[in-house]
Amino acid sequence: MKDEFYFDFGDELFSGEVVGIVEGEWHGGYAFFNNPEFIEYIGAKTEVTIEGSRRVPLKVNLKGSQRALAELMRCQSEQ
């Protein structure tokens, strides 16, 4: 399932194509963005509101995202 979703950080709004995946009880997916600032906002903000075509907003706590991104960058630089 592909859909366009909006990621609202309060002071910045990003949109991207999201591919949903359902495997048994697990629901997830991934999103495509062409704006590198999106990753910076994930690390710098504490919450994001995500909304798709169903217009049901989902608030996501981003606590720990900055540390996770720093570790990801460290791992990638070692490869």
Side-chain angles (χ1 to χ4, degrees):
M1 156 182 114
K2 288 184 182 180
D3 200 356
E4 183 157 7
F5 275 63
Y6 299 91
F7 295 75
D8 186 353
F9 291 93
D11 60 345
E12 190 70 47
L13 181 68
F14 293 88
S15 67
E17 183 179 276
V18 173
V19 176
I21 300 171
V22 177
E23 293 181 5
E25 301 272 325
W26 187 83
H27 294 249
Y30 52 92
F32 297 97
F33 295 91
N34 64 358
N35 187 335
E37 290 181 11
F38 179 77
I39 294 296
E40 294 173 23
Y41 271 83
I42 290 281
K45 299 297 181 175
T46 58
E47 183 177 82
V48 63
T49 301
I50 304 170
E51 188 173 324
S53 61
R54 293 185 192 170
R55 302 284 186 225
V56 179
L58 170 67
K59 289 191 183 290
V60 177
N61 183 322
L62 298 174
K63 183 178 180 182
S65 296
Q66 190 168 24
R67 277 193 313 255
L69 288 170
E71 183 64 15
L72 172 67
M73 298 302 192
R74 186 192 66 74
C75 288
Q76 285 183 335
S77 69
E78 290 181 4
Q79 293 183 4

